[in-house]
Amino acid sequence: MIPVAVGAVTLGPLAGLLLGLTFGITSFIQCFGLSAFGAMLLSINPFFTFLVCVPTRALMGWLTGVIYQALKKGNMSKKFACSLSSLCCPLLNTLFFMTTLCICFYHTDYIQGMVSATGASNVIMFVLIFVGINGLVEAISCFIAGTAISKALLTILHRSK
């Protein structure tokens, strides 16, 4: 996630799109035996699994770049724009991934088994339990590392011009 945020901030929306696409394709490839969760989704519906993995990540990368550019054009400091964009990256990833997962797979026996196992009473509770600590750790780490790396790279790129 951090490379997507850094690329989107330092190189723009197109780089974010390409890095997000790479992240998504890698996630989809992992569904062919490297990820038990992904393999199960793939066995249920390969097309929906592709939708959950690839376009969601590509859109997240592109939007992260768009958000950075919009914040920067709004006369916001580069550091704050980097920070906010780096935070948006994992939040958008989680939003798009979980929304698509729930739209495509929530009704399946596999996800309903997870819903029952977690004791979730509705889809929102399931998402909060499913994302939980992992989502928080992703958001914090991307916020800190993405901000630091992006700011450093922007400084270096600015000096080389």
Side-chain angles (χ1 to χ4, degrees):
M1 187 90 46
I2 294 169
V4 177
V6 170
V9 168
T10 58
L11 301 174
L14 180 59
L17 174 75
L18 294 174
L19 289 165
L21 185 63
T22 302
F23 174 38
I25 290 169
T26 302
S27 297
F28 185 63
I29 290 169
Q30 290 176 352
C31 296
F32 292 89
L34 297 174
S35 163
F37 179 73
M40 183 56 79
L41 295 181
L42 189 69
S43 73
I44 296 169
N45 188 316
F47 178 71
F48 284 169
T49 304
F50 177 84
L51 289 180
V52 167
C53 292
V54 180
T56 57
R57 272 57 185 267
L59 182 61
M60 169 268 303
W62 178 74
L63 281 176
T64 300
V66 168
I67 289 167
Y68 175 74
Q69 287 185 339
L71 292 173
K72 200 172 69 173
K73 283 182 182 172
N75 294 325
M76 187 171 289
S77 74
K78 279 186 184 179
K79 184 174 183 177
F80 188 72
C82 285
S83 298
L84 194 53
S85 300
S86 293
L87 180 61
C88 285
C89 186
L91 296 178
L92 288 170
N93 180 61
T94 300
L95 174 69
F96 296 152
F97 177 85
M98 289 305 297
T99 299
T100 308
L101 178 73
C102 289
I103 289 169
C104 295
F105 291 100
Y106 190 76
H107 66 282
T108 65
D109 291 340
Y110 179 60
I111 297 298
Q112 285 303 305
M114 294 172 79
V115 170
S116 295
T118 61
S121 56
N122 57 51
V123 69
I124 301 295
M125 187 57 72
F126 169 70
V127 168
L128 292 174
I129 293 169
F130 190 80
V131 172
I133 300 298
N134 184 56
L136 184 60
V137 170
E138 279 182 0
I140 292 169
S141 63
C142 196
F143 174 72
I144 293 169
T147 299
I149 296 167
S150 295
K151 184 69 175 122
L153 284 175
L154 285 170
T155 300
I156 291 167
L157 290 172
H158 180 68
R159 285 184 189 160
S160 67
K161 289 183 180 180

